[in-house]
Amino acid sequence: MERREIEQLVRTHMEQKLEAEGKREYIIAANWKMNMSAKETRAFLKELSDTNIPEYLNIILFPPFPYLPAAQKMLRYEAVTYGAQDVAEKDKGAYTGEVSAAMLADCGCSYTLIGHSERRAYYGETSDIVARKASKALEYGIVPVICIGETLEERRSGAYKEVLKGQVDAAAKVCQEKLAQCIIAYEPVWAIGTGVIPTTKEIEETHRYIHDVLASYDKHAGAKFRILYGGSVNENNVRDIAPVPFVDGFLIGGASLKVESFKNIINLLSLDGCL
């Protein structure tokens, strides 16, 4: 049995156990983007692997491609999982620089980010491309974390709901009944790395809207859809945002690059009454 298959069995068991206890799984995902060295990665993973993590927290790391083997070697699958920051929409062929879902599976990846705002903005990824990538990941048993979000102009003009729905619609059209297996990460583009945080009221309203859109495709799976919040998440605001309805976890950028701050976030979310 492959590592990611074991991870999936462990997480399924934990989800069932938590559901029986009236609790929920909470996801803390770290997107390192194009940062870290091999030495820094090994030091981070070693310290994190020694951290006591409550069973209801699902910790997912997204290191750069070259450091996936280190994650595969050093992480305990029952406590911390990992994935890639992107995946190709093709299986194989003359696509220089691309990494296929089969290759990620060989590296033991259980997850992959797809459609991050930086990929959409800098590399021209459309929602249709994102949807095809998500479908390809699912073919190989890899959970896609589909990133969606609006610009400041779209937020101010009131067009953000239409934008978000269009991004989710594209994934739903391609993934169909497997959409509930995906994770959605809402990242307001105007809040990523800026230090500007939407109010908890704005976050709740937007996450509720995204949930309703997802549930409209499959009302039976409505409660199973998972929606993460991302956008300048750090030690100072996680406890305020964590209890917000329809927020099932975080996708963290800059605050996940230092193991001390990332561990502090884990510890804050481990405190009684936080979630």
Side-chain angles (χ1 to χ4, degrees):
M1 183 177 293
E2 296 182 3
R3 175 198 170 103
R4 61 194 178 85
E5 293 175 322
I6 296 174
E7 286 179 351
Q8 290 166 356
L9 287 174
V10 170
R11 294 316 310 177
T12 299
H13 171 73
M14 290 310 308
E15 289 171 10
Q16 293 172 344
K17 181 175 182 293
L18 292 172
E19 184 177 356
E21 295 173 352
K23 301 177 182 178
R24 62 167 176 159
E25 177 189 71
Y26 206 82
I27 298 169
I28 307 177
N31 179 15
W32 289 358
K33 306 187 181 184
M34 197 171 69
N35 294 292
M36 307 290 267
S37 66
K39 182 179 179 180
E40 290 170 332
T41 297
R42 288 192 298 269
F44 187 109
L45 296 179
K46 185 179 186 304
E47 186 162 348
L48 186 62
S49 65
D50 294 332
T51 302
N52 183 33
I53 298 173
E55 60 186 15
Y56 57 84
L57 292 183
N58 183 5
I59 311 300
I60 310 171
L61 302 183
F62 292 102
F65 285 127
Y67 306 139
L68 290 175
Q72 186 175 25
K73 180 179 180 180
M74 297 179 65
L75 291 178
R76 309 191 319 268
Y77 62 79
E78 73 275 13
V80 182
T81 55
Y82 63 93
Q85 294 180 17
D86 191 25
V87 65
E89 59 178 298
K90 305 290 186 179
D91 280 315
K92 61 172 65 176
Y95 302 102
T96 301
E98 292 291 284
V99 178
S100 71
M103 294 172 182
L104 297 185
D106 282 344
C107 289
C109 291
S110 294
Y111 301 87
T112 181
L113 293 177
I114 296 176
H116 190 279
S117 62
E118 292 159 1
R119 298 294 310 178
R120 294 176 188 259
Y122 305 153
Y123 303 100
E125 290 193 3
T126 65
S127 293
D128 289 336
I129 292 174
V130 170
R132 291 195 294 271
K133 288 186 173 187
S135 179
K136 186 58 64 177
L138 288 167
E139 282 184 34
Y140 287 85
I142 297 171
V143 177
V145 180
I146 302 173
C147 301
I148 65 174
E150 81 282 4
T151 65
L152 183 58
E153 181 181 353
E154 290 164 342
R155 166 63 64 164
R156 286 176 171 172
S157 69
Y160 68 97
K161 288 186 176 181
E162 181 181 350
V163 170
L164 296 175
K165 187 176 188 302
Q167 293 170 345
V168 177
D169 280 345
K173 182 178 179 181
V174 175
C175 297
Q176 299 183 4
E177 73 278 357
K178 292 185 177 181
L179 184 64
Q181 298 176 31
C182 303
I183 297 172
I184 303 297
Y186 168 62
E187 296 189 305
V189 179
W190 46 277
I192 299 175
T194 64
V196 178
I197 304 292
T199 65
T200 53
K201 182 178 180 181
E202 289 174 322
I203 294 173
E204 178 179 355
E205 183 269 339
T206 306
H207 275 242
R208 184 184 298 274
Y209 173 74
I210 295 168
H211 178 272
D212 289 347
V213 171
L214 291 167
S216 70
Y217 306 122
D218 187 349
K219 291 181 171 57
H220 297 293
K224 296 182 179 180
F225 286 116
R226 295 162 292 176
I227 308 171
L228 312 184
Y229 173 76
S232 295
V233 176
N234 56 53
E235 301 163 76
N236 298 320
N237 55 38
V238 290
R239 292 208 71 190
D240 292 328
I241 303 173
V244 172
F246 302 103
V247 172
D248 301 298
F250 294 108
L251 179 57
I252 303 171
S256 71
L257 295 177
K258 298 293 184 182
V259 71
E260 294 82 6
S261 62
F262 192 61
K263 285 174 61 177
N264 284 340
I265 289 173
I266 293 173
N267 291 334
L268 287 168
L269 295 175
S270 301
L271 297 175
D272 289 340
C274 181
L275 298 176

